[in-house]
Amino acid sequence: METVRNSFETLFERLEGYGKTTIELSKLKSLEMSTVVASSLLSRLAVILVFSTSTLVLSIGVALWLGELLGRTYYGFFVVAGFYLFAGIIFHFYLHQWIKRPVSTLIIKQALQ
């Protein structure tokens, strides 16, 4: 009878150890997945930031140049702002899915690796 009791105690100890190990492994896997997704997004955000800054400086230069051609500096800024407004409307109505789908796919791919 004593050996059966010891066998059950050993079994429960092993099950407890297995449960703790499984929980720890799940925590580590989720941490790894979060780290991969975050680092991928952070590197892409850095590229987007550099690109956005370059676009801003280029836009100011084009606005000043157009303003000089049109006779008033602020006319150039109005033209550039109108261009960006038009481009934003096009993106909103027509290209929204072209941007949303690849970003969603990227996040899902990174999460499942």
Side-chain angles (χ1 to χ4, degrees):
M1 192 65 155
E2 191 66 31
T3 58
V4 173
R5 189 173 203 191
N6 286 339
S7 295
F8 278 123
E9 287 177 1
T10 305
L11 178 64
F12 285 128
E13 287 174 2
R14 287 184 181 175
L15 282 174
E16 182 183 7
Y18 176 75
K20 288 180 181 179
T21 304
T22 303
I23 290 171
E24 189 67 28
L25 182 61
S26 298
K27 287 180 185 178
L28 291 174
K29 282 185 177 181
S30 63
L31 177 65
E32 178 189 17
M33 183 177 61
S34 300
T35 304
V36 167
V37 169
S39 65
S40 175
L41 290 177
L42 187 63
S43 66
R44 291 181 191 272
L45 284 175
V47 170
I48 289 170
L49 178 67
V50 169
F51 182 74
S52 298
T53 304
S54 300
T55 303
L56 177 67
V57 171
L58 181 65
S59 296
I60 292 171
V62 168
L64 290 171
W65 177 67
L66 284 174
E68 188 176 307
L69 290 177
L70 295 173
R72 300 278 180 163
T73 306
Y74 56 88
Y75 287 166
F77 284 96
F78 287 150
V79 171
V80 171
F83 170 76
Y84 281 123
L85 178 65
F86 179 72
I89 290 171
I90 296 295
F91 274 125
H92 178 71
F93 287 115
Y94 297 109
L95 300 178
H96 181 69
Q97 288 299 322
W98 287 1
I99 295 170
K100 183 180 176 184
R101 196 169 292 135
V103 170
S104 299
T105 304
L106 170 72
I107 292 171
I108 290 170
K109 276 184 180 180
Q110 291 295 325
L112 293 178
Q113 283 184 347

